[in-house]
Each structure stands twice: as structure tokens, then as C-alpha cells.
Amino acid sequence: MQDKNQKIRCTVESCEYNNFQDRMCELKQIEVRACPGCNSGIAEDESMCGSYKNKI
């Protein structure tokens, strides 16, 4: 059976869920949130990973 799950690529080294060696998020799903007060129409300005957790 073919894997139907999407892969989540990530390069945020400070996130606890990031497998930096493979540049993959180890969560089965993430939540994408809108950045508060952003409405520029530029994806980098308007969205962020809501599942981020610092490695500390």
C-alpha cells in the first residue's frame, strides 16, 4: 500500500519536532496559524507553524 500521508519538510533547527538531519518534521500533522495583524498577502508574512515547540 502506498503512503498517502504528506511529508512535512522543515529547516527550523530550534523546534523540538525537527529532525534536522533529514529536514523533516516528526509530527504526524501540524497546525498552520495566521500571524496576528498580518495582511500583506505574502505567505511568509501571514502564516506560521502553530505546532512549534522550542527544544529547551
Side-chain angles (χ1 to χ4, degrees):
M1 183 174 158
Q2 187 178 25
D3 182 9
K4 294 183 181 185
N5 293 327
Q6 293 183 349
K7 307 267 187 282
I8 303 169
R9 306 286 294 170
C10 183
T11 59
V12 181
E13 292 182 52
S14 63
C15 184
E16 180 176 329
Y17 305 114
N18 179 271
N19 178 333
F20 185 71
Q21 182 177 0
D22 296 329
R23 294 186 171 202
M24 298 292 293
C25 178
E26 294 183 338
L27 290 173
K28 292 185 181 199
Q29 67 181 27
I30 64 169
E31 180 177 346
V32 177
R33 296 183 185 160
C35 295
C38 298
N39 60 356
S40 68
I42 300 169
E44 294 84 2
D45 290 344
E46 293 198 8
S47 63
M48 64 182 199
C49 179
S51 303
Y52 173 85
K53 185 173 180 183
N54 195 311
K55 285 183 180 180
I56 300 176

